[in-house]
Amino acid sequence: METAVFLTFILFFALFALTLHSKNCIFCIMNIRKLFPVAAVAAATFAFTACQEKKFHVEGSIANAQDSTLYLENMSLAGPVTVDSVKLGADGDFSFSGKSTEAPEFYRLRIAGQIINISIDSTETVMVKAEMPNMARDYEVSGSEECTKIRLLALKQIELQNKAIAIERNISLGSEVAADSINKLIKAYKEEVKNHYIFKDPKAASSYFALFQAIGQYLIFDPRSNKEDIKAFAAVATSWDTFYPGAERGENLHNIAIEGMKNERIIAAEKQSVAIDASKVTTAGIIDIKLRDNKGVERSLTQLKGKVVLLDFHVFAMEDSPKRILMLRELYNKYHAQGLEIYQVSLDTDEHFWKQQTSALPWISVHDPASVNSQRLALYNVQSVPDFFLIDKTNTLVNRAAQIKDLDAAIAALL
């Protein structure tokens, strides 16, 4: 009897601890160690862990949807998975929550065929207000900048699809004219999305979302054979590799981009009537850069496979340039014989000045004539210069400057 009472008290204490703010949970655990044996401490520790679990929240209301079932679904790589659901009342209010993840994750709110796409970054609270029967269009979202961008992308995609349908149904247009008009619409859409979303911030959840928009069953961005579209996938994949290492979505993007590059090379070879064995086509885990060095020779980043590469974006006209070059010389002298190479991209506007500054440098120095307007900066999500990346011997991007505390040790670990 006494044991039962004691265990009941432990359970009550644990449940009570669950209701406390996290700082109070810590207070509880510190004090109960003095009062109760191990079992009580374990129960309270469990309560503390539970109250510390990071969660996200999706809340709001759907008007004109009484008695409808609203689903919160995780858009996993394998397809939609129901996380929770609720039968809406007269006020249409709802509230969902779930365990947060390290990398951005994607969900949707669904009533029948009406869908609202959202992204979740860590522990944020996303507020949604919508109205049936056109929930997919008639909604507002707050609490998340990325969800706001996704809303704009979703509306743009709906507009694109409606225009394409209107062209297809226009009987006055021949099939070739209609197809050409639709292709032009899609091309314009992709250029807008690439320039204003994907290349502007490739690590963003909205950029990832944009890659998988579709018209009907067909992706707007073709990652299988369209060279420019593959670049868009590669840009986002590289950023996710950097900012969310090990994330399943990032690895999936990476694989899609690599497969696309492989297919594109095979297609290019076929157009030139060159026989090629698909099993022998190799690709890199980086976005290639091909520029001319200070001797006028075109140098490709992917040709350095087998070496550890420090990819450095630099401006020699900057005040701190001499100090930085001295640091790079020390690293180069220390590790070059062991397999380190430096591939330095100059963004200087004065090409002649760049050639003077690099004439005696022992590593690869190339010049990007587009300077700070270079698309390569967007592809690698370079926000300020100088910036650098480490690439391993398999031609796979490993880390960027912001993630490296000790560059010397990071290089040594890859050699």
Side-chain angles (χ1 to χ4, degrees), residues 183-210:
N183 286 334
K184 287 180 179 178
L185 274 176
I186 294 174
K187 184 178 180 180
Y189 180 86
K190 290 197 291 188
E191 285 303 309
E192 179 186 359
V193 171
K194 281 192 292 186
N195 293 329
H196 291 93
Y197 292 89
I198 297 173
F199 291 153
K200 189 174 181 180
D201 189 5
K203 73 178 185 301
S206 53
S207 297
Y208 182 102
F209 175 82

Side-chain angles (χ1 to χ4, degrees), residues 121-193:
D121 185 2
S122 188
T123 57
E124 63 190 354
T125 296
V126 178
M127 299 294 296
V128 177
K129 289 187 176 181
E131 185 176 351
M132 288 294 281
N134 296 312
M135 184 177 83
R137 289 187 66 98
D138 301 332
Y139 79 93
E140 298 175 0
V141 62
S142 60
S144 168
E145 183 180 353
E146 287 306 303
C147 286
T148 299
K149 291 179 182 178
I150 286 174
R151 175 183 177 273
L152 293 174
L153 283 166
L155 294 178
K156 287 177 181 293
Q157 184 269 333
I158 291 172
E159 182 182 7
L160 173 67
Q161 183 163 295
N162 289 339
K163 287 181 178 179
I165 291 172
I167 291 173
E168 193 175 49
R169 291 177 178 176
N170 189 340
I171 59 176
S172 66
L173 299 175
S175 59
E176 290 186 9
V177 174
D180 183 61
S181 298
I182 292 173
N183 286 334
K184 287 180 179 178
L185 274 176
I186 294 174
K187 184 178 180 180
Y189 180 86
K190 290 197 291 188
E191 285 303 309
E192 179 186 359
V193 171

Side-chain angles (χ1 to χ4, degrees), residues 35 37 41 43 232 245 284 301 327 382 390 401:
L35 302 174
V41 175
L301 184 58
M327 180 272 291
V382 174
L390 275 183

Side-chain angles (χ1 to χ4, degrees), residues 69-337:
T69 301
L70 176 67
Y71 294 90
L72 175 68
E73 297 174 329
N74 175 220
M75 298 306 295
S76 73
L77 294 176
V81 177
T82 300
V83 176
D84 203 351
S85 65
V86 63
K87 189 173 183 179
L88 298 175
D91 57 9
D93 290 350
F94 66 89
S95 178
F96 296 123
S97 65
K99 185 179 179 181
S100 64
T101 57
E102 295 299 321
E105 193 51 68
F106 297 86
Y107 296 83
R108 70 182 188 183
L109 295 170
R110 181 178 65 83
I111 295 178
Q114 291 291 307
I115 291 169
I116 295 174
N117 290 290
I118 57 175
S119 69
I120 297 295
D121 185 2
S122 188
T123 57
E124 63 190 354
T125 296
V126 178
M127 299 294 296
V128 177
K129 289 187 176 181
E131 185 176 351
M132 288 294 281
N134 296 312
M135 184 177 83
R137 289 187 66 98
D138 301 332
Y139 79 93
E140 298 175 0
V141 62
S142 60
S144 168
E145 183 180 353
E146 287 306 303
C147 286
T148 299
K149 291 179 182 178
I150 286 174
R151 175 183 177 273
L152 293 174
L153 283 166
L155 294 178
K156 287 177 181 293
Q157 184 269 333
I158 291 172
E159 182 182 7
L160 173 67
Q161 183 163 295
N162 289 339
K163 287 181 178 179
I165 291 172
I167 291 173
E168 193 175 49
R169 291 177 178 176
N170 189 340
I171 59 176
S172 66
L173 299 175
S175 59
E176 290 186 9
V177 174
D180 183 61
S181 298
I182 292 173
N183 286 334
K184 287 180 179 178
L185 274 176
I186 294 174
K187 184 178 180 180
Y189 180 86
K190 290 197 291 188
E191 285 303 309
E192 179 186 359
V193 171
K194 281 192 292 186
N195 293 329
H196 291 93
Y197 292 89
I198 297 173
F199 291 153
K200 189 174 181 180
D201 189 5
K203 73 178 185 301
S206 53
S207 297
Y208 182 102
F209 175 82
L211 292 176
F212 294 98
Q213 287 189 294
I215 293 182
Q217 296 182 346
Y218 297 96
L219 288 177
I220 295 173
F221 287 90
D222 176 12
R224 297 179 300 277
S225 57
N226 186 301
K227 186 176 181 179
E228 296 305 313
D229 291 356
I230 293 168
K231 285 183 181 179
F233 271 82
V236 179
T238 298
S239 283
W240 277 59
D241 282 348
T242 301
F243 288 95
Y244 312 113
E248 186 180 10
R249 290 186 184 276
E251 292 177 358
N252 183 58
L253 270 181
H254 194 98
N255 292 335
I256 291 173
I258 288 177
E259 189 64 26
M261 292 175 193
K262 181 176 179 179
N263 291 341
E264 193 273 328
R265 291 183 185 184
I266 293 172
I267 291 170
E270 288 175 348
K271 287 181 179 179
Q272 297 175 12
S273 300
V274 177
I276 187 167
D277 183 351
S279 65
K280 295 182 180 179
V281 175
T282 58
T283 52
I286 54 173
I287 302 169
D288 197 15
I289 296 176
K290 289 183 180 180
L291 290 168
R292 295 193 179 278
D293 66 14
N294 47 18
K295 296 180 178 60
V297 179
E298 186 177 78
R299 307 298 292 267
S300 172
L301 184 58
T302 55
Q303 289 176 345
L304 299 176
K305 187 173 183 179
K307 296 180 178 291
V308 171
V309 180
L310 183 114
L311 169 61
D312 186 57
F313 290 91
H314 189 78
V315 175
F316 285 88
M318 292 181 67
E319 184 178 350
D320 292 339
S321 176
K323 182 179 179 181
R324 182 175 175 78
I325 293 301
L326 181 61
M327 180 272 291
L328 291 177
R329 271 189 179 276
E330 291 176 356
L331 288 172
Y332 187 86
N333 292 339
K334 184 176 181 179
Y335 290 116
H336 178 64

